């Protein structure tokens, strides 16, 4: 049995003021092409179909369009759950009659202990839920953390699970030790949002959503698919993909990746502004990518963002490189001013701490002359 594991589409995502809908449509149409090529027995979407509980209209229309192409046109069963960004209530709408076309969408935990059975594989759907919701559902006052909740839910599944058949858990959780990125919403304060990977031992394969890197954890059977696109510059070096899983009746599986090509990649550039605006440099670059640019220039620059956007139209973030050691020195400058030093000594101290350049003898001579003129002017006024 073959299925595709994906998650974290985040339709309607806004990144640095730019809606990603056009980019999402591009990559999702590629995803549909992969579905038609691979002809899987099911597509598994492990949560965060939307980026927020009340998504924009074009995001809703895009999801409807893509799911129709997969489920109706390609006649491929879909197994999907709500993530922490989704509205469980909104995703649950229509779920009772979706099943007639083998579209299994679980927004709430109701009936989560009964598996969806497709070609001999049992899929257990555990949509994201706060510990309090699970505590009320199970009537268990000992549940206070996400680990407690997941342990209790899986414990209930174990009461009826058939260990002699391939069993797949579809969930949305932060597994302890997973690598995070800036675009992921924290599930709870402290460590109470984490769950231990050992909880998923009863399952042949655990298809997770939430963490955006497919390499977020290293585990034999517990896997993240990662997001389809990069949604923050902390993900710039990640290789986005979808997972193709082929599992046999003994629960053994093979795992391979398929990459999709984004309309715009998300990258970082570092350099001096003149270098970045040099045709010999930028003609070798993919200038339409979404970029974070870090400038190494010292001193004032006039309107650098608009100059850069003449060449790189999708600069989303611009910053100047700040040396950490120099920053600490800047913070202590007020204390230095209290020391008994001459004007030229104070300026030399200030200059070396505010820049990365040496205060040469030539610079010192020029500054000494200026200070002398200022002091003479003050004396004449008096």
């Amino acid at each position: 049995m073959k299925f595709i594991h994906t998650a974290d589409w985040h339709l309607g995502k806004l990144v640095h003021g730019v809606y990603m809908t056009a980019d999402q449509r591009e990559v999702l149409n590629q995803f549909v092409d992969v579905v038609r090529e691979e002809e899987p027995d099911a597509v598994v979407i492990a949560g965060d179909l939307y980026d927020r509980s009340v998504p924009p209209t074009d995001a809703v229309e895009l999801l409807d369009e893509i799911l129709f192409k997969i489920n109706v046109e390609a006649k491929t069963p879909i197994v999907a759950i709500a993530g922490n960004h989704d509205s469980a209530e909104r995703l649950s709408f229509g779920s009772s009659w979706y099943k007639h076309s083998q579209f299994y969408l679980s927004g709430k935990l109701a009936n989560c202990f009964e598996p969806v059975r497709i070609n001999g594989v049992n899929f257990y759907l555990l949509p994201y839920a706060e510990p309090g919701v699970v505590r009320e559902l199970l009537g268990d006052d000992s549940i206070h953390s996400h680990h407690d909740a997941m342990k209790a839910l899986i414990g209930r599944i174990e009461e009826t699970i058939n260990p002699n058949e391939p069993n797949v858990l579809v969930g949305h959780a932060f597994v302890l030790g997973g690598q995070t990125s800036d675009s992921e919403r924290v599930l709870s304060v402290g460590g109470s949002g984490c769950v231990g990977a050992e909880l998923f031992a009863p399952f042949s394969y655990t298809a997770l959503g939430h963490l955006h890197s497919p390499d977020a954890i290293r585990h034999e059977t517990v896997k993240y698919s990662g997001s389809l696109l990069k949604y923050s510059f902390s993900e710039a070096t990640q290789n986005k993909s979808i997972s193709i899983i082929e599992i046999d009746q003994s629960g053994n599986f093979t795992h391979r990746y398929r990459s999709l090509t984004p309309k715009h990649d998300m990258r970082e550039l570092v350099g001096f502004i003149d270098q970045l605006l040099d045709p010999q440099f930028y003609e070798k670059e993919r200038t339409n990518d979404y970029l974070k640019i870090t400038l190494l220039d010292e001193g004032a620059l006039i309107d650098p963002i608009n100059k850069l956007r003449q060449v790189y139209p999708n600069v989303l973030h611009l910053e100047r490189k700040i040396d950490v050691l120099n920053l600490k020195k800047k913070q202590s400058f007020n204390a230095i001013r209290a020391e008994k030093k001459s004007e030229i000594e104070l300026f030399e101290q200030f200059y070396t701490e505010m820049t990365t350049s040496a205060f040469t003898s030539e610079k010192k001579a020029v500054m000494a002359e200026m200070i002398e003129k200022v002091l003479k002017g003050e004396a004449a006024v008096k």
Side-chain angles (χ1 to χ4, degrees), residues 77 160 246 307:
T160 56
E246 296 188 55
K307 289 180 179 178

Short mmCIF file of all heavy atoms in Angstrom, two decimals, residues 77 160 246 307:
data_model
loop_
_atom_site.label_atom_id
_atom_site.label_comp_id
_atom_site.label_asym_id
_atom_site.label_seq_id
_atom_site.Cartn_x
_atom_site.Cartn_y
_atom_site.Cartn_z
N PRO A 77 -8.20 8.59 -2.28
CA PRO A 77 -8.67 8.83 -0.91
C PRO A 77 -7.78 9.84 -0.18
O PRO A 77 -6.55 9.88 -0.40
CB PRO A 77 -8.58 7.45 -0.25
CG PRO A 77 -8.67 6.49 -1.39
CD PRO A 77 -7.95 7.16 -2.54
N THR A 160 -8.00 -1.55 21.50
CA THR A 160 -8.65 -2.28 20.40
C THR A 160 -7.76 -2.45 19.17
O THR A 160 -8.19 -3.08 18.20
CB THR A 160 -9.94 -1.54 19.97
OG1 THR A 160 -9.61 -0.19 19.61
CG2 THR A 160 -10.95 -1.52 21.12
N GLU A 246 5.62 3.45 1.27
CA GLU A 246 5.07 2.17 0.82
C GLU A 246 5.18 1.18 1.96
O GLU A 246 6.30 0.91 2.45
CB GLU A 246 5.80 1.69 -0.44
CG GLU A 246 5.61 2.62 -1.62
CD GLU A 246 6.17 2.05 -2.92
OE1 GLU A 246 5.77 0.94 -3.29
OE2 GLU A 246 7.00 2.74 -3.55
N LYS A 307 16.82 50.90 -3.45
CA LYS A 307 17.89 50.64 -4.42
C LYS A 307 18.01 49.15 -4.68
O LYS A 307 18.14 48.71 -5.83
CB LYS A 307 19.22 51.20 -3.90
CG LYS A 307 19.30 52.71 -3.90
CD LYS A 307 20.65 53.18 -3.36
CE LYS A 307 20.75 54.70 -3.38
NZ LYS A 307 22.04 55.18 -2.81
#
